[in-house]
Amino acid sequence: MNSAFGWINTSTDEVKESDEQRERLRDKLALHQWLARREVFQVGDGAVHCELYEHAPDSPILLFLPGLGTYCELYAELLGRVSEAGFNVVGVDMRGHGYSKGERGDYRVEQVVEDLQQVLDLLQQRFSGPIGVYGYSIGGLLAAALAERDERVHSVLCGTLLLTEEPPDFLHQLGWSWTWGSAMLFPSWKLPLKSVLDYDRLLASHPAREEIKNDPRLIYDYPLGTLASLFTYRSGVMKQSYDFKAAIIHGTCDDVLSMAYSERIIQAMKHPFTLIPVEGGGHMLPWDEPERLAAMTADWFKNTLA
């Protein structure tokens, strides 16, 4: 666990869990062989926890941004497999998530971008390859936000992409408006995501479903301030074209965001995005089909970072 950057994973927060509980989760997700390869470091005075899967000094750098409520350790198999395909892969826990410091679930989009730029500053002291970003679920919005502001990013892959300018339906639009208005008065109040996402259904077929559901590092209740920041963020890709290449990878059986939604926003965006369908895939691709997803991810970045 010692970091090649000279630091050690000393992140501690208010999360309480037993070693037995953590090991049981890692066993069910078959993470041990992948976690043995990772190096851990922190940036921003230790506030942001990162996990590195190294390939070679001149290999491309890939940042991985997890989905809502989750953190990068849970995606270790995906990150490890992509690294084996020829990349220096770095998973990042947002402030207040996973092993990072901060109030649980509390961040703002602008703050995330600044943190990610610090991560890239540090990585470029060690690696010389081009830079890509893969954002899964809500991480897709954050990946695009980083690329819009940092010319070092050459390629962006979004595991679905939710844009507030194009709500999936009227209920989403209404909910986002309520969240924004409520956050103006009560930014620290927390909204239970289980009221809008059916985690039992999403995890129904996964062998680690009980361990994941009971993981104390997962965030199910989000401050309204965080949700308002995400769901009022105006993406530059809607209004202009940039130099980076971009794609949305989307399971054809995704029951959180439909394939039709990705098709619609690609037509609406000024910046060109490619749509990569995953036949038969659902929303939880990183856990359900990590080997398949890793191969598709590696292919995309090999073609766009060459």
Side-chain angles (χ1 to χ4, degrees):
M1 296 284 283
N2 284 2
S3 168
F5 295 104
W7 295 322
I8 298 175
N9 176 19
T10 56
S11 293
T12 56
D13 50 31
E14 297 78 11
V15 174
K16 296 181 180 180
E17 63 179 336
S18 67
D19 291 341
E20 180 182 356
Q21 187 176 19
R22 176 59 34 185
E23 289 304 299
R24 187 164 58 248
L25 175 62
R26 290 172 174 172
D27 287 340
K28 285 282 190 171
L29 286 172
L31 298 183
H32 289 286
Q33 64 171 313
W34 306 106
L35 296 179
R37 291 190 49 206
R38 71 176 175 174
E39 298 177 17
V40 175
F41 64 97
Q42 292 85 35
V43 299
D45 297 325
V48 178
H49 171 95
C50 303
E51 301 188 2
L52 165 66
Y53 294 80
E54 182 181 0
H55 188 265
D58 59 350
S59 296
I61 300 167
L62 291 188
L63 292 188
F64 175 78
L65 312 182
L68 203 65
T70 64
Y71 55 102
C72 58
E73 179 178 299
L74 299 179
Y75 303 87
E77 181 176 353
L78 173 65
L79 306 191
R81 288 186 182 279
V82 173
S83 176
E84 286 184 340
F87 301 89
N88 298 308
V89 181
V90 180
V92 182
D93 288 350
M94 305 307 147
R95 288 174 184 259
H97 290 70
Y99 294 95
S100 288
K101 295 180 181 178
E103 294 295 324
R104 304 308 294 168
D106 189 30
Y107 65 69
R108 302 296 182 269
V109 173
E110 294 75 13
Q111 180 189 53
V112 170
V113 170
E114 291 175 2
D115 288 339
L116 295 175
Q117 289 179 312
Q118 289 189 54
V119 174
L120 290 179
D121 291 343
L122 188 58
L123 292 172
Q124 287 191 308
Q125 297 176 24
R126 177 172 172 182
F127 303 115
S128 59
I131 295 169
V133 186
Y134 175 22
Y136 165 62
S137 196
I138 205 64
L141 182 151
L142 298 172
L146 173 64
E148 292 166 1
R149 288 164 170 76
D150 199 313
E151 294 180 353
R152 292 175 292 181
V153 177
H154 296 288
S155 182
V156 172
L157 181 63
C158 302
T160 70
L161 177 59
L162 185 64
L163 297 179
T164 57
E165 294 90 340
E166 290 283 335
D169 51 45
F170 177 71
L171 287 179
H172 277 81
Q173 186 174 24
L174 188 63
W176 293 346
S177 296
W178 176 87
T179 299
W180 174 80
S182 299
M184 295 286 287
L185 298 174
F186 309 108
S188 298
W189 280 19
K190 294 188 176 182
L191 178 71
L193 290 188
K194 290 182 179 179
S195 65
V196 293
L197 286 176
D198 188 346
Y199 289 96
D200 288 331
R201 178 170 53 83
L202 289 173
L203 296 170
S205 61
H206 200 285
R209 59 186 178 278
E210 292 302 320
E211 287 75 16
I212 293 172
K213 285 165 52 181
N214 295 319
D215 181 0
R217 291 192 184 275
L218 283 180
I219 297 172
Y220 290 116
D221 302 324
Y222 262 90
L224 290 176
T226 301
L227 298 177
S229 177
L230 288 168
F231 300 135
T232 61
Y233 177 75
R234 298 299 178 182
S235 296
V237 293
M238 291 295 294
K239 298 177 289 186
Q240 69 180 85
S241 181
Y242 296 84
D243 290 335
F244 62 86
K245 297 177 182 177
I248 299 173
I249 188 165
H250 200 136
T252 60
C253 296
D254 192 315
D255 50 3
V256 174
L257 277 178
S258 69
M259 177 72 77
Y261 177 77
S262 284
E263 293 170 344
R264 173 155 59 91
I265 64 169
I266 284 176
Q267 292 298 316
M269 287 187 287
K270 296 295 184 183
H271 184 81
F273 272 73
T274 300
L275 181 59
I276 305 173
V278 183
E279 191 63 38
H283 191 73
M284 311 302 286
L285 278 169
W287 293 342
D288 293 339
E289 301 185 70
E291 186 171 4
R292 181 187 184 193
L293 182 59
M296 298 180 74
T297 299
D299 285 345
W300 161 255
F301 283 112
K302 284 178 179 177
N303 289 329
T304 58
L305 293 176

